[in-house]
Amino acid sequence: MSPSNENVISFLPLGAIIREFCVAGYNIVQGFSTQDQYIKYNTPYFGATIGRTANRIKDATVKDLNGRTYTFAKNNGPNLLHGGYQGWDKKIFEGPTPVNRNGREGLLFKYVSKDGEEGYPGTVEVRVWYTTSKEQVETAIEKIVLGIEYEVEFIGNECEETVVNVTNHSYFNLSGGPTIEGTEAQLCTDKYLPVDSNGIPEDKVQQFKRTDVTKPFVLHPTEPDIDDCFVMDEDPSQVPLDTRSRPLRLLAQFKHPSSGLHLEVHSTEPAFQFYTGKGIDVPAVEGLPARGPGSGFCVEPSRFINAPNQPEWKHMTLLKKGQIYGSKIEYRAWKEPWNE
């Protein structure tokens, strides 16, 4: 990343992707230059809207939905991952349409997901609002705030219910270099969902013990190797289908001592997947360098893994006729002025 004096945020209709998030001229998200490059090379899901269901669904199957069992693509071992082979990350959204959302200038992207797409029942419309603003922290420090609001409405008459779990899959890099080496991370919870060898929760919420994540710890390209779902709400019964009425909560914060870049991730969601990027493998692409292990990290606010198949979690992903699913994410980033 080469710095300039600009704060630029840009998007693409493909997957309503966040293509650039520039802070003091540093683009802190991984991505590509053109939409065609995303279509050809975006196996890590750089910047994309993930749906109809984010994360993994056990055995690519959802039971007891509309009184039957639905089977989906097994695109991650025995499981369904991130909505299937042609999830929302690969769909062309309508937009961007300029809007004023909650008093902020923004852009709206929309997509209609038809009944039967990737095996999901019911026709739904997903709406994604991006808003940008600035927040003064200190006299010489200004945070760039990128807000995301998701809304999914059941608009079809084909059945009575479907399942939804939406997130953004941006990979962040605050180092100014090819990897996240030296980034200081701190999560706001050490509660997580232990998973089996296929990435499916095998037990109740436990304490994460491999690293003390609630105190500052340093990221390296391959260590610590974290790809886990951390839990903000230990009582799933209190999680509504539309979380937007809840206050935004800080999930995680990051900074890099050399670049002076900071990032906070806030959301209304009950959980988030934290991934340190060990599996990234993108070849050099038309003037862009190769991206390998640790070239970025993800914080993916969402519902619990495999929630549609867990009776005590199912309600947070079960969208019925006349209902609306909703959530909010907010990224706040800034650069220390003495690091110019």
Side-chain angles (χ1 to χ4, degrees):
M1 296 186 293
S2 56
S4 67
N5 293 317
E6 297 182 354
N7 298 316
V8 176
I9 304 176
S10 66
F11 312 90
L12 290 173
L14 175 70
I17 281 171
I18 300 174
R19 190 175 74 86
E20 292 178 291
F21 184 6
C22 294
V23 179
Y26 290 87
N27 184 14
I28 64 171
V29 295
Q30 290 287 1
F32 301 94
S33 299
T34 67
Q35 185 160 290
D36 187 57
Q37 290 173 349
Y38 280 91
I39 293 172
K40 291 180 179 178
Y41 306 113
N42 195 19
T43 54
Y45 303 92
F46 287 159
T49 302
I50 303 298
R52 189 177 295 194
T53 53
N55 221 308
R56 294 168 176 83
I57 299 292
K58 183 180 181 180
D59 297 329
T61 300
V62 174
K63 301 177 181 179
D64 299 323
L65 189 63
N66 296 303
R68 54 166 288 194
T69 296
Y70 290 84
T71 301
F72 308 95
K74 294 182 178 181
N75 63 331
N76 181 251
N79 304 319
L80 168 72
L81 176 68
H82 291 338
Y85 288 112
Q86 296 293 320
W88 290 352
D89 61 295
K90 296 177 178 65
K91 303 301 181 180
I92 302 296
F93 282 59
E94 175 189 330
T97 303
V99 294
N100 186 292
R101 187 70 175 170
N102 302 322
R104 295 180 177 181
E105 291 185 1
L107 298 172
L108 169 63
F109 289 90
K110 295 190 295 184
Y111 174 69
V112 174
S113 178
K114 298 290 185 64
D115 174 59
E117 181 180 280
E118 283 295 313
Y120 291 96
T123 298
V124 303
E125 180 176 83
V126 56
R127 297 180 276 269
V128 183
W129 288 272
Y130 289 114
T131 59
T132 57
S133 60
K134 295 180 180 180
E135 178 182 302
Q136 205 73 26
V137 183
E138 300 174 3
T139 304
I141 300 178
E142 189 174 65
K143 289 184 181 179
I144 309 302
V145 181
L146 171 57
I148 309 173
E149 183 179 347
Y150 294 119
E151 186 174 88
V152 184
E153 183 177 4
F154 197 129
I155 63 173
N157 293 308
E158 305 88 357
C159 57
E160 296 299 317
E161 56 191 13
T162 190
V163 286
V164 177
N165 181 15
V166 188
T167 191
N168 179 269
H169 209 295
S170 288
Y171 287 76
F172 295 94
N173 183 323
L174 308 180
S175 73
T179 73
I180 58 177
E181 176 69 47
T183 302
E184 295 180 11
Q186 185 175 5
L187 309 187
C188 291
T189 178
D190 62 359
K191 302 300 186 293
Y192 85 116
L193 295 174
V195 296
D196 62 20
S197 59
N198 291 316
I200 300 297
E202 57 183 356
D203 206 342
K204 302 298 183 183
V205 175
Q206 293 186 10
Q207 184 180 23
F208 191 80
K209 295 181 178 179
R210 285 183 278 136
T211 303
D212 188 352
V213 294
T214 61
K215 295 181 180 178
F217 61 101
V218 178
L219 302 180
H220 305 282
T222 58
E223 294 294 336
D225 179 16
I226 299 175
D227 189 7
D228 290 281
C229 184
F230 289 86
V231 173
M232 298 293 291
D233 290 82
E234 293 187 60
D235 182 359
S237 67
Q238 299 302 307
V239 179
L241 179 65
D242 187 344
T243 66
R244 290 176 296 176
S245 62
R246 309 200 312 174
L248 287 161
R249 295 179 292 182
L250 178 65
L251 309 184
Q253 53 191 328
F254 307 88
K255 66 178 180 180
H256 199 283
S258 296
S259 69
L261 291 167
H262 292 245
L263 172 71
E264 295 176 346
V265 181
H266 301 248
S267 181
T268 59
E269 289 291 81
F272 61 96
Q273 190 81 9
F274 178 49
Y275 176 43
T276 51
K278 187 176 181 178
I280 301 172
D281 184 13
V282 177
V285 175
E286 302 169 28
L288 295 173
R291 266 68 64 86
S295 55
F297 62 85
C298 288
V299 179
E300 307 158 48
S302 61
R303 311 296 156 95
F304 291 8
I305 304 171
N306 195 39
N309 287 315
Q310 294 287 346
E312 67 271 32
W313 304 345
K314 187 172 185 175
H315 67 278
M316 64 175 76
T317 60
L318 187 65
L319 177 63
K320 298 184 179 183
K321 281 184 180 180
Q323 293 183 331
I324 289 180
Y325 169 104
S327 64
K328 289 182 179 180
I329 301 171
E330 195 169 88
Y331 304 126
R332 303 176 187 175
W334 68 98
K335 188 178 185 300
E336 296 170 1
W338 51 88
N339 250 290
E340 299 294 339

